[in-house]
Amino acid sequence: MTVFAVLLAALAAFGYAFGARLQHGAVHDTMSGRGLGLRSQLLLVRNTRWLFGLICLGSGTALHALALGFAPLSVVQPLGVLALPITVLLNSNDRPGGMSTLPRSSILAVVMSGGGVAAFVFLAVRSATPTSVSSEAAGTAVELVGLIVLLLAAVALVSRGPVRCVSYATGCAVAYGLVSLLLRAVSQQVTAGRLAEVQLWLLLVMGVAVLVGGWLVQHAYASGPPDLVVACLTVIDPLVAVGFGIGLLGEADAVGAWTATGEAVCAAVACAGVFALARYHPDNHNEVPPTVTEGSNRRVTSIDSS
């Protein structure tokens, strides 16, 4: 069943990538010069491109939810990082020259993010054991996520540029990590034929987390490039979910010291790749060098004075 779950999660990654590209374009088409205001947000729900992106994301989420019912959380969740290279390839089509214009630093950042999570999955598949999600563990996760999301939203509100984008996207990733944990709990009950045991509060919290995450990710799209947003979602989200799996569910109780060290190193490399992408992504820098701009301003000034 683990192999089947991996295939479902890989298909879900394609849905995430296409959905992110479509919604990012729709956000920038509708938002005003002041950013993604309330009026722009209301216009999004009537934008065909944004709605189609929502369908892609919803399809990916459904496939991911199915995968969570057949394999441990720490195995399925990191596979979403496959959406990152797909998004980078799609986003490069919008630039003249395509992938050839993407700086090596950005390519290295993508490799670090994807490779770090892929190596993490390889280690997790060999050592993780399936566990059930208790009500106590779910409640603890809800409290932690609520606090973290509030802090990240506060940081985003007082920041600008890549920092704002990363803060919003990370807040969304943390919220979606909680959704994955709760989906794991519900999926276990559904696949076991215990529909009557599904707790209503789990479904309500999932709905709230999805809405909050969706609101945060739209603001992340408005603040930065789509591949940076996807990088945060596909790296931070699985790390949060895996943290829950290890810390709350005990999925790594049988993991040896060397394997745990390797997983920690892989996680650090993946996170470093996200920060490098935020730092060196070409969309976060002016395309025209400052020296050229200053020279142009001097020429305009001299023409006006003459």
Side-chain angles (χ1 to χ4, degrees):
M1 284 298 184
T2 300
V3 175
F4 180 63
V6 168
L7 291 175
L8 289 176
L11 289 175
F14 280 89
Y16 293 150
F18 283 98
R21 173 177 167 80
L22 290 170
Q23 288 203 329
H24 180 272
V27 166
H28 280 265
D29 287 343
T30 59
M31 71 179 188
S32 62
R34 302 173 112 185
L36 189 63
L38 180 59
R39 183 174 180 275
S40 298
Q41 294 177 49
L42 294 175
L43 290 175
L44 282 176
V45 298
R46 293 182 292 178
N47 187 293
T48 304
R49 188 178 184 184
W50 187 87
L51 291 174
F52 188 65
L54 184 62
I55 293 174
C56 291
L57 291 173
S59 300
T61 301
L63 291 172
H64 194 84
L66 287 175
L68 286 170
F70 295 105
L73 182 66
S74 53
V75 173
V76 173
Q77 197 66 16
L79 290 171
V81 79
L82 293 173
L84 177 56
I86 298 171
T87 306
V88 170
L89 290 173
L90 293 174
N91 195 39
S92 64
N93 293 330
D94 295 335
R95 302 188 189 96
M99 281 288 292
S100 60
T101 62
L102 196 65
R104 292 182 180 178
S105 56
S106 296
I107 296 176
L108 178 61
V110 172
V111 172
M112 289 173 62
S113 299
V117 176
F120 187 97
V121 171
F122 176 76
L123 294 174
V125 167
R126 301 174 60 187
S127 57
T129 54
T131 58
S132 59
V133 182
S134 65
S135 298
E136 293 76 11
T140 301
V142 170
E143 294 174 359
L144 289 173
V145 167
L147 177 61
I148 294 172
V149 169
L150 286 175
L151 291 174
L152 289 170
V155 171
L157 289 173
V158 298
S159 59
R160 292 289 184 273
V163 175
R164 167 173 280 191
C165 178
V166 169
S167 297
Y168 274 132
T170 302
C172 174
V174 173
Y176 285 174
L178 173 65
V179 172
S180 296
L181 175 70
L182 301 181
L183 271 175
R184 172 70 173 162
V186 174
S187 297
Q188 286 177 330
Q189 295 170 340
V190 172
T191 53
R194 303 194 308 268
L195 291 176
E197 298 180 13
V198 176
Q199 296 174 300
L200 180 60
W201 75 271
L202 292 176
L203 300 177
L204 292 175
V205 173
M206 274 196 293
V208 172
V210 168
L211 291 175
V212 171
W215 183 84
L216 291 171
V217 79
Q218 300 307 318
H219 284 273
Y221 288 146
S223 307
D227 35 3
L228 177 56
V229 177
V230 171
C232 292
L233 294 178
T234 56
V235 172
I236 305 301
D237 179 347
L239 293 181
V240 170
V242 169
F244 287 149
I246 294 174
L248 296 178
L249 307 184
E251 289 186 350
D253 287 350
V255 174
W258 285 108
T259 301
T261 301
E263 290 179 351
V265 171
C266 292
V269 171
C271 289
V274 172
F275 289 115
L277 187 63
R279 172 67 178 82
Y280 297 108
H281 197 287
D283 290 354
N284 292 330
H285 302 277
N286 293 328
E287 296 182 359
V288 181
T291 53
V292 175
T293 304
E294 293 172 0
S296 301
N297 289 341
R298 285 197 294 270
R299 286 195 296 271
V300 171
T301 303
S302 62
I303 292 174
D304 292 340
S305 60
S306 61

